[in-house]
Amino acid sequence: NEDARLDKQMNRAEQSRAEQERIKPLFAYLVENFRSHVSLDEASGIAHMTPNAFCKYFKKITRKTFMETVIEYRLNYATQQLVQTDKPISDISFESGFGDVSHFYKMFKNKMHQSPLNYRKNFMREFDGAEIKASAWNFAYTKCSRRRRLAGVFKINYLIIR
């Protein structure tokens, strides 16, 4: 009974390695192309499967549909662009691979529970707050003795939070 269980586990591990080798080129294709046109036919061709079989296989392996994964890659890229650049949201939408801005807004809001503009504003607000706290800490740390430092940081943080 114990031997059968071990054989089953080893067989699963071998299948898992084989599946990883089969799916690696698909993720390479996604990374290379998610910002432009991603084709189900091309992806299924890379996996040497029919589109229907590929969709079932991909969902079994990743627990997401192929298009959910593509959209996730695009939204992750868009999120990075929103916080790292001051590009217009429409430009970010197109650069992320979305063909239409309204679809981008809908997908972004569905995932992030806020619009891209609000996401950017909220991130900047939080970032500015963290930056103020960090600079207050550095000032208090370098200008005071240990006891005064702790008291000063408390006062400065209290003023910032209020």
Side-chain angles (χ1 to χ4, degrees):
N1 193 11
E2 184 68 26
D3 289 336
R5 193 167 59 90
L6 286 174
D7 284 345
K8 214 181 229 184
Q9 285 177 340
M10 286 182 64
N11 193 16
R12 274 194 217 127
E14 286 172 18
Q15 283 178 339
S16 177
R17 273 187 238 117
E19 287 171 349
Q20 285 175 2
E21 290 304 313
R22 188 175 204 178
I23 205 131
K24 269 184 196 176
L26 293 166
F27 281 107
Y29 169 75
L30 272 178
V31 167
E32 197 68 30
N33 296 290
F34 76 90
R35 292 176 54 199
S36 59
H37 180 71
V38 175
S39 162
L40 177 61
D41 288 335
E42 200 167 330
S44 62
I46 291 168
H48 306 290
M49 301 173 130
T50 65
N52 193 30
F54 169 74
C55 286
K56 289 177 183 176
Y57 170 75
F58 193 87
K59 176 115 185 195
K60 179 184 148 214
I61 299 299
T62 64
R63 295 188 177 99
K64 296 176 190 169
T65 67
F66 181 66
M67 280 315 295
E68 285 171 340
T69 304
V70 171
I71 289 169
E72 190 173 278
Y73 271 65
R74 290 175 175 170
L75 289 174
N76 287 338
Y77 179 79
T79 302
Q80 287 177 340
Q81 293 298 298
L82 284 168
V83 300
Q84 294 175 358
T85 71
D86 58 353
K87 293 177 186 175
I89 292 171
S90 59
D91 290 356
I92 291 172
S93 166
F94 292 119
E95 288 175 13
S96 300
F98 289 94
D100 127 15
V101 178
S102 63
H103 181 62
F104 168 67
Y105 266 83
K106 183 179 176 183
M107 294 292 104
F108 192 93
K109 199 165 186 175
N110 189 32
K111 181 181 180 191
M112 304 304 287
H113 308 291
Q114 58 185 322
S115 72
L117 182 60
N118 284 340
Y119 181 85
R120 177 182 266 169
K121 284 180 182 177
N122 291 334
F123 180 86
M124 292 313 220
R125 194 174 309 127
E126 288 177 25
F127 180 76
D128 289 343
E131 200 170 67
I132 290 168
K133 287 179 184 177
S135 64
W137 168 256
N138 288 337
F139 173 77
Y141 184 81
T142 56
K143 300 289 182 190
C144 304
S145 69
R146 185 175 191 284
R147 181 177 287 171
R148 292 174 110 191
R149 235 183 299 172
L150 293 173
V153 168
F154 175 75
K155 286 178 189 173
I156 292 168
N157 281 339
Y158 177 75
L159 293 172
I160 292 170
I161 292 168
R162 285 187 86 209

